[in-house]
Amino acid sequence: MKQTWRQHAACRGLDAAIFYPPSDEEAEPAKDVCAQCAVRTACLEHALAVREKEGIWGGCTERERRRIIRQRRRAS
């Protein structure tokens, strides 16, 4: 799968540690970066497709991504 979206990510070049906070409550700095990102949707879809278990992807925590997956299953 081509991931050219990564070249345009707002997080590119930032310290990756910001996207792996110790708790969901400490995720706001990463979510703020994601909120300004032009490829946020592609990032989130990637994380959902590969079932990323950790970190903030597309502005969502792992718990939020699990919720999205459940909602999509119910809707289909």
Side-chain angles (χ1 to χ4, degrees):
M1 174 177 169
K2 272 188 134 177
Q3 295 179 355
T4 56
W5 58 266
R6 289 181 186 235
Q7 297 171 7
H8 305 287
C11 61
R12 188 170 181 203
L14 297 180
D15 182 4
I18 190 175
F19 298 96
Y20 295 92
S23 69
D24 287 0
E25 291 75 27
E26 299 172 70
E28 285 309 311
K31 288 183 168 197
D32 289 344
V33 172
C34 294
Q36 304 299 316
C37 187
V39 295
R40 179 180 178 179
T41 302
C43 178
L44 177 59
E45 290 304 322
H46 164 78
L48 295 171
V50 300
R51 302 289 201 264
E52 285 288 347
K53 296 288 183 197
E54 298 178 357
I56 308 301
W57 290 82
C60 294
T61 64
E62 196 266 333
R63 179 179 293 146
E64 292 166 332
R65 292 191 303 274
R66 282 193 317 250
R67 187 177 316 127
I68 291 168
I69 290 169
R70 282 194 307 271
Q71 289 171 344
R72 288 182 179 183
R73 272 194 213 130
R74 285 186 208 131
S76 59

